[in-house]
């Protein structure tokens, strides 16, 4: 079985087999109807585990010009960068591991896009622990109420367990795999024929309640009055 979490696997694949732009799972065009409401021209977008996906190019023509692509495979990043330059599209391509994105500031991005990366990481040793680290980093670089869109091969029954609902809200949608027979009747559906879209929204952190300065001042006054009473009481001498 292929280890899709291994850097060696991807370096060999992009060096020997995929010397062209290649889309995993779904194209942007096929996903557009599901995700377009979560994309705005002014957004800063991070494409994690980009491989040689055309996402940055497709978003450029959608009006989204600020897209950064990262992947830990140097071969993939080189191929993608060359393609984007040929298309005269400005989009940064950075060799970077999603588990350590220290080059990015907290709350820097409005949208993080993940097509097959989460699935790939889960294939590796200690995959669940590694995914937790990845999601912690993605949570950090996302602004409040920012979106993390995942395209996965697995259904909601397995993936929802990965989402900390104290940190995220999420929606789920499914889409037929390309070149697969799709039926409308629920009872006739074959799960193997579908990909799953998870749209996670970073929750707003609850801010501590502000206490009115007037109330604080009143409380201080009451405390002073009580202190004075106590002092007076101590000074009074009992008559013999």
């Amino acid at each position: 079985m292929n280890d899709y979490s291994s850097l060696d696997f991807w370096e060999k694949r992009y060096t020997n087999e995929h010397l062209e732009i290649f889309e995993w799972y779904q194209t942007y065009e096929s996903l557009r109807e599901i995700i377009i409401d979560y994309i705005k021209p002014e957004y800063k977008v991070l494409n994690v585990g980009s491989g040689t996906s055309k996402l940055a190019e497709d978003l450029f023509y959608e009006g989204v010009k600020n897209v950064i692509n990262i992947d830990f495979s140097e071969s993939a990043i080189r191929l993608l960068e060359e393609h984007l330059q040929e298309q005269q599209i400005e989009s940064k391509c950075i060799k970077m591991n999603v588990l350590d994105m220290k080059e990015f500031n907290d709350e820097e991005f409005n949208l993080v896009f993940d097509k097959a990366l989460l699935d790939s990481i889960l294939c590796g040793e200690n995959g669940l622990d590694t995914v937790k680290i990845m999601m912690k980093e993605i949570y950090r670089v996302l602004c409040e109420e920012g979106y993390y869109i995942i395209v996965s091969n697995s259904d909601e029954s397995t993936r929802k367990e990965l989402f900390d609902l104290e940190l995220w809200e999420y929606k789920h949608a499914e889409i037929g795999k390309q070149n697969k027979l799709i039926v409308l009747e629920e009872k006739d559906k074959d799960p193997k024929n579908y990909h799953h879209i998870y749209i996670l929204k970073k929750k707003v952190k609850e801010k501590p309640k502000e206490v009115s300065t007037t109330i604080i001042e009143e409380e201080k006054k009451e405390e002073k009055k009580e202190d004075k009473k106590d002092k007076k009481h101590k000074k009074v001498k009992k008559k013999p």
Side-chain angles (χ1 to χ4, degrees):
M1 182 178 176
N2 293 323
D3 182 1
Y4 293 106
S5 68
S6 165
L7 175 58
D8 288 340
F9 170 82
W10 291 111
E11 281 294 333
K12 289 177 183 177
R13 189 175 186 101
Y14 283 114
T15 302
N16 301 325
E17 298 179 35
H18 291 293
L19 299 179
E20 74 286 338
I21 297 303
F22 182 81
E23 293 291 346
W24 288 95
Y25 289 179
Q26 299 281 336
T27 64
Y28 174 75
E29 183 180 359
S30 66
L31 295 169
R32 187 180 184 279
E33 185 177 346
I34 297 173
I35 66 175
I36 189 61
D37 289 342
Y38 306 97
I39 299 172
K40 295 181 181 179
E42 66 270 22
Y43 274 5
K44 186 172 185 179
V45 179
L46 177 63
N47 184 19
V48 293
S50 63
T52 57
S53 168
K54 285 172 68 268
L55 178 69
E57 180 179 350
D58 293 323
L59 288 177
F60 178 87
Y61 292 117
E62 195 75 75
V64 184
K65 306 297 175 64
N66 196 354
V67 181
I68 296 178
N69 311 277
I70 68 168
D71 199 292
F72 69 171
S73 168
E74 187 172 355
S75 298
I77 285 296
R78 185 185 70 253
L79 290 169
L80 179 60
E81 189 171 38
E82 289 173 357
H83 171 78
L84 292 172
Q85 287 175 353
E86 288 174 1
Q87 301 301 314
Q88 298 183 335
I89 292 172
E90 292 186 11
S91 180
K92 288 184 180 179
C93 299
I94 306 172
K95 180 181 179 295
M96 183 187 297
N97 193 322
V98 71
L99 305 179
D100 183 12
M101 299 188 289
K102 58 179 175 287
E103 291 184 34
F104 300 140
N105 297 323
D106 293 355
E107 302 187 355
E108 183 169 343
F109 296 92
N110 305 97
L111 172 64
V112 174
F113 199 88
D114 167 356
K115 189 146 62 79
L117 177 61
L118 183 143
D119 286 2
S120 297
I121 290 175
L122 284 172
C123 292
E125 188 176 356
N126 300 319
L128 285 173
D129 291 334
T130 308
V131 162
K132 288 179 182 177
I133 296 171
M134 178 188 75
M135 293 194 71
K136 184 177 180 181
E137 267 293 83
I138 289 173
Y139 184 88
R140 179 185 69 79
V141 302
L142 259 184
C143 64
E144 287 192 347
E145 298 191 311
Y147 294 101
Y148 173 28
I149 297 178
I150 303 168
V151 184
S152 173
N153 199 40
S154 294
D155 64 24
E156 192 176 7
S157 65
T158 59
R159 288 296 176 259
K160 68 180 180 181
E161 297 175 357
L162 303 174
F163 310 147
D164 184 342
L165 298 184
E166 291 187 3
L167 303 177
W168 306 97
E169 298 173 10
Y170 84 92
K171 294 180 180 179
H172 168 254
E174 59 183 21
I175 184 172
K177 293 181 180 179
Q178 296 175 358
N179 303 319
K180 294 290 184 179
L181 177 64
I182 304 304
V183 296
L184 298 178
E185 292 293 332
E186 192 71 32
K187 62 183 177 60
D188 296 326
K189 283 185 176 181
D190 183 348
K192 294 179 181 178
N193 289 345
Y194 292 83
H195 284 129
H196 299 267
I197 320 302
Y198 301 96
I199 301 170
L200 280 66
K201 182 179 180 181
K202 181 177 177 178
K203 288 186 177 180
V204 177
K205 294 178 182 177
E206 289 188 9
K207 296 179 181 179
K209 293 181 180 179
E210 293 185 2
V211 181
S212 170
T213 53
T214 305
I215 294 174
I216 293 173
E217 291 300 321
E218 289 297 325
E219 288 178 349
K220 286 181 178 179
K221 287 179 182 180
E222 288 298 321
E223 287 176 1
K224 286 180 181 180
K225 287 180 182 179
E226 291 298 323
D227 288 341
K228 287 180 181 179
K229 287 181 182 179
D230 289 342
K231 288 177 182 178
K232 284 182 180 180
H233 181 73
K234 289 177 182 178
K235 287 180 180 180
V236 174
K237 294 182 180 180
K238 291 184 179 179
K239 293 182 180 181

